[in-house]
């Protein structure tokens, strides 16, 4: 349920819960401090069969991979942690690390810079677009591309335009593409995009 969720990431998580099933394989394309990775892990984990599902989590910064790893150490046991595969790579290469013929239920992006980290390392339009195209190629029917987009930093608006143009170009016969906007947060404009593949 969307109301009562003040943060854009919480809004995104509510939608994820409607799509992700236990045992699924999902991708966190920008794992950062690991909060989204942990949320995904809880959604795919199937207690009765060990982990069941998998989260492929990636980030271009080594610090982010370490931060995600230590959050998981605190939050889950070592068996559950094995269901997260961490990769220090650019998300445009996501198609190279998932096993062939994988059924990927979701690819999630939380764009921008690492909170509390190096603010000069941010997602940029070119590689974000390449990663969106890779996500489109590997996503299963019924799957979801989720994006949280911030526009307050340099390059943010340009990246927003790329994301919007990508979603707008997906064929209406196969995709439902939506945008949520926090209208009454003018100082922290954040947008949430959901591109759901129907076929
Ligand atoms: N999802 C994270 C969380 O829950 O803590 C927050 C992600 S943060 C807003 C954005 C992340 O994207 C940063 O950690 C940054 O290093 C990463 N990033 C920037 N460019 C990237 C790229 N080309 N490929 C993968 N990650 C990238």
């Amino acid at each position: 349920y969307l109301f009562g969720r003040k943060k854009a990431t919480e809004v995104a998580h509510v939608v994820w819960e409607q799509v992700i099933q236990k045992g699924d394989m999902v991708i966190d394309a920008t794992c950062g401090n690991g909060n989204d990775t942990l949320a995904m892990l809880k959604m795919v984990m199937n207690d009765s069969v060990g982990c069941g599902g998998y989260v492929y989590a990636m980030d271009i910064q080594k610090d982010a991979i370490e931060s995600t790893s230590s959050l998981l150490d605190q939050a889950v046991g070592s068996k559950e942690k094995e269901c997260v595969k961490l990769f220090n790579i650019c998300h445009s290469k996501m198609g190279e690390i998932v096993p062939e013929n994988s059924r990927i239920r979701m690819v999630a992006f939380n764009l921008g810079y690492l909170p509390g980290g190096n603010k000069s390392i941010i997602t940029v339009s070119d590689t974000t677009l390449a990663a969106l195209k890779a996500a489109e190629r590997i996503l299963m029917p019924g799957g979801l591309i989720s994006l949280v987009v911030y526009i307050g930093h340099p390059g943010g608006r340009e990246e927003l335009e790329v994301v919007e143009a990508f979603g707008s170009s997906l064929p209406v016969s196969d995709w439902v593409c939506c945008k949520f906007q926090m209208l009454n947060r003018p100082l922290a404009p954040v947008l949430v995009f959901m591109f759901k593949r129907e076929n």
Side-chain angles (χ1 to χ4, degrees):
Y1 193 61
L2 296 181
F3 297 103
R5 315 279 176 147
K6 290 234 161 86
K7 287 163 96 185
T9 48
E10 292 173 345
V11 170
H13 292 187
V14 173
V15 179
W16 299 357
E17 278 163 5
Q18 306 306 311
V19 173
I20 296 178
Q21 295 168 20
K22 301 273 178 214
D24 275 348
M25 198 176 274
V26 297
I27 294 180
D28 185 348
T30 50
C31 66
N33 290 321
N35 301 296
D36 291 323
T37 301
L38 178 59
M40 287 178 215
L41 177 60
K42 289 180 177 165
M43 292 179 207
V44 301
M45 248 174 5
N46 192 339
D47 300 335
S48 56
V49 290
C51 54
Y54 284 97
V55 183
Y56 286 80
M58 62 203 69
D59 201 289
I60 202 150
Q61 283 190 72
K62 201 160 172 283
D63 285 358
I65 298 298
E66 281 162 11
S67 180
T68 295
S69 179
S70 70
L71 179 72
L72 294 172
D73 285 336
Q74 290 161 38
V76 298
S78 55
K79 260 205 144 30
E80 287 85 10
K81 192 181 172 191
E82 281 173 24
C83 306
V84 178
K85 309 288 177 203
L86 291 169
F87 299 89
N88 183 195
I89 57 163
C90 173
H91 43 214
S92 58
K93 300 199 183 314
M94 69 175 75
E96 296 169 25
I97 51 103
V98 291
E100 221 173 303
N101 300 323
S102 299
R103 290 172 62 76
I104 306 294
R105 179 82 68 184
M106 183 178 79
V107 180
F109 297 81
N110 186 340
L111 300 176
Y113 54 79
L114 179 67
N118 183 344
K119 291 195 175 161
S120 67
I121 304 176
I122 53 170
T123 55
V124 291
S125 301
D126 284 359
T127 41
T128 298
L129 180 60
L132 282 168
K133 288 180 177 169
E136 182 191 356
R137 275 194 299 276
I138 60 179
L139 200 74
M140 66 188 278
L144 180 74
I145 300 176
S146 161
L147 298 112
V148 175
V149 183
Y150 308 86
I151 54 179
H153 60 277
R157 280 196 181 270
E158 187 197 338
E159 193 174 35
L160 167 70
E161 280 169 22
V162 164
V163 169
E164 257 187 34
F166 176 82
S168 306
S169 74
L170 292 171
V172 68
S173 52
D174 296 337
W175 292 82
V176 176
C177 297
C178 303
K179 168 173 138 183
F180 301 77
Q181 187 170 3
M182 307 281 181
L183 290 172
N184 58 349
R185 296 196 62 196
L187 297 179
V190 183
L191 293 106
V192 180
F193 291 85
M194 295 290 161
F195 305 152
K196 174 113 189 314
R197 171 174 237 145
E198 299 289 300
N199 299 299

